[in-house]
């Protein structure tokens, strides 16, 4: 262990070691990058450090669950986590025995696996690299990231400190942001669940409790499916501004259909016309609409980059919600639960806005202005849950070390407010608009530039490109040291 004392926040810390690359965040993005660097980056043992408080690498918020009701919303054969072996996950399900213990996973031609199974798969993928110390897992949250000469000083919550040549921001999604009326009225209330992904967050809900879910995306559907699986029989209301739910996956798992890059759209309106024309062509060919949106996903990064900045903003303002309901679809098992619960009346879907919130003893009373009539409905609930999706606009305020990097000018929010600004090589952009050569952004927080960057295959390709870039830097460094 190095014995270098460095003043940090008016306190001296001993440096635990040095490394070439420090990755902050060990979910799928961070683990995928660590793996690529370990296998192909030309780095030595101990050169790759991953700060991740969870017990394993590769699971993160999305896949760190033992809840069997939570399923991947993509068929297992499309979870192409390893670029060199696209079928690795679906093959592993069979050989590991996980598929045999999950008889409800098959729907039509596809397997919709439990999310925890993908986390277990990534754990097994990473285990040999950890055992060989090609990747070192530091089970701590990061508190500080500071410049120290030409290096980065990364400090964990237990005062573990590493000096790194390169830092990669691969942190998870920030917590949801509740609608303002709920947040102002219920902040700190014990029956207001602001982060349903937190382990045990939903456990206090009793079987007959009335539940209000703010948000109608996949997180909301996961909440319903999880509660139903645990025997919840109370009334649940899913409430959002649009009232639009994610659409259902096609169990036939059709091939992607459509070409959106040969004659790329340069306006949001033009893109909308292209999509509508392609949907009509797919219908004539007897193909489901899902095949068109799968093509949009595969070509998503090229489509996004062909749109000028003002047209990207127009897309986000006018088309984003409708696109997301078709792009981020619910697994068939969730669709079955939703249909059953809606038919029984235990589940209600409402659109509008919250206009008044009142705390009453052991319940919460909400006044809802409902679309399209505009009438006000007064409802009482035992629990209110925020399921509005990650608050990407506030990501730089979500963790102290990110705020520190922003305060010191090394990172800025991207132009759309959905993550962190970076360049085509995934290098962070500083307050002067310049790329920071040894600071990278991996995973969904880079989607402001890349557009489509939330699915496993897209993240795997991006982290592969980052690893290649870092490997090239390492090769140049070796040459420089030799010549020097």
């Amino acid at each position: 262990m190095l014995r270098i004392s460095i003043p940090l926040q008016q306190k001296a810390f001993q440096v635990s070691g040095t490394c070439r690359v420090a990755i902050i965040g060990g979910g799928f993005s961070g683990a995928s990058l660590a793996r690529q660097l370990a296998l192909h980056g030309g780095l030595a043992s101990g050169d790759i450090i991953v700060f991740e408080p969870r017990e394993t690498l590769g699971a993160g918020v999305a896949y760190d669950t033992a809840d069997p009701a939570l399923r991947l919303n993509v068929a297992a054969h499309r979870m192409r986590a390893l670029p060199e072996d696209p079928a690795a996950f679906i093959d592993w399900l069979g050989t590991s025995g996980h598929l045999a213990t999950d008889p409800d996973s098959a729907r039509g031609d596809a397997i919709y696996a439990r999310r925890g199974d993908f986390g277990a798969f990534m754990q097994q993928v990473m285990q040999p690299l950890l055992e060989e110390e090609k990747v070192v897992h530091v089970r701590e949250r990061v508190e500080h990231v500071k410049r120290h000469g030409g290096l980065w000083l990364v400090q964990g919550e237990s005062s573990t400190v590493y000096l790194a040549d390169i830092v990669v921001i691969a942190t998870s999604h920030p917590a949801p942001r509740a609608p303002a009326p709920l947040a102002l009225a219920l902040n700190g209330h014990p029956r207001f669940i602001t982060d349903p992904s937190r382990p045990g967050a939903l456990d206090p809900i009793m079987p007959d409790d009335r539940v209000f879910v703010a948000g109608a995306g996949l997180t909301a559907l996961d909440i319903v499916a999880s509660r139903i699986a645990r025997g919840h029989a109370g009334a649940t209301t899913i409430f959002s501004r649009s009232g639009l739910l994610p659409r259902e996956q096609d169990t036939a798992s059709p091939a992607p259909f459509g070409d959106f890059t040969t004659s790329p759209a340069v306006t949001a309106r033009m893109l909308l016309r292209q999509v509508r024309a392609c949907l009509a062509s797919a219908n004539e060919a007897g193909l489901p609409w899902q095949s068109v949106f799968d093509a949009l996903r595969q070509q998503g990064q090229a489509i996004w980059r062909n749109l000028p900045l003002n047209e990207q903003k127009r897309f986000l303002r006018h088309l984003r919600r409708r696109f997301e309901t078709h792009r981020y679809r619910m697994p068939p098992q969730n669709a079955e639960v939703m249909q059953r619960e809606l038919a029984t009346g235990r589940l209600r879907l409402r659109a509008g806005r919250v206009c008044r919130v009142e705390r009453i003893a052991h319940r919460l009373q909400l006044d809802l202005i409902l679309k399209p009539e505009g009438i006000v409905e007064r409802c009482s609930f035992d629990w209110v849950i925020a399921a509005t999706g990650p608050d990407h606009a506030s990501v730089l305020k979500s963790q102290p070390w990110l705020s520190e990097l922003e305060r010191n000018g090394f990172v800025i929010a991207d132009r759309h407010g959905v993550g962190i600004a970076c360049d085509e090589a995934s290098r962070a952009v500083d307050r002067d608009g310049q790329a920071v050569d040894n600071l990278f952004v991996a995973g969904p927080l880079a989607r402001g530039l890349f557009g489509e960057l939330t699915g496993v295959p897209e993240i795997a390709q991006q982290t592969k490109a980052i690893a290649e870039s870092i490997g090239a830097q390492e090769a140049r460094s070796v040459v420089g040291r030799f010549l020097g």
Side-chain angles (χ1 to χ4, degrees), residues 36 101 160 201 244 283 286 345 347 357 427 436 439:
Q36 288 289 336
T101 64
T160 298
L244 297 175
N283 186 56
L347 177 64
V357 181
R427 298 176 300 179
V436 184
L439 181 63

Side-chain angles (χ1 to χ4, degrees), residues 211-214 235-239 346-350 368 381:
V211 177
F212 178 88
V213 181
T236 298
T237 297
I238 291 180
F239 192 81
R346 287 192 297 264
L347 177 64
R348 299 192 312 162
L349 177 64
R350 294 288 186 268
L368 310 175
F381 299 97

Side-chain angles (χ1 to χ4, degrees), residues 47 123 226 247 372 390 397 422 426 431 457:
D47 273 351
Q123 178 183 2
S226 181
R247 303 291 294 273
K397 309 299 182 187
C422 64
S426 299
R431 66 160 64 115

Side-chain angles (χ1 to χ4, degrees), residues 142-158:
V142 168
E143 289 195 345
H144 298 286
V145 178
K146 298 176 72 72
R147 271 295 205 187
H148 182 70
L151 305 176
W152 295 101
L153 190 148
V154 183
Q155 180 207 337
E157 61 188 342
S158 298

Side-chain angles (χ1 to χ4, degrees), residues 48 61 119 126 134 136 175 197 201 254 266 339 345 406 440 466 480:
I48 305 165
V61 173
M126 296 302 298
K134 292 182 177 179
V136 177
S197 67
V266 293
Q339 291 165 6
E406 181 188 31
F440 291 82
I466 294 174

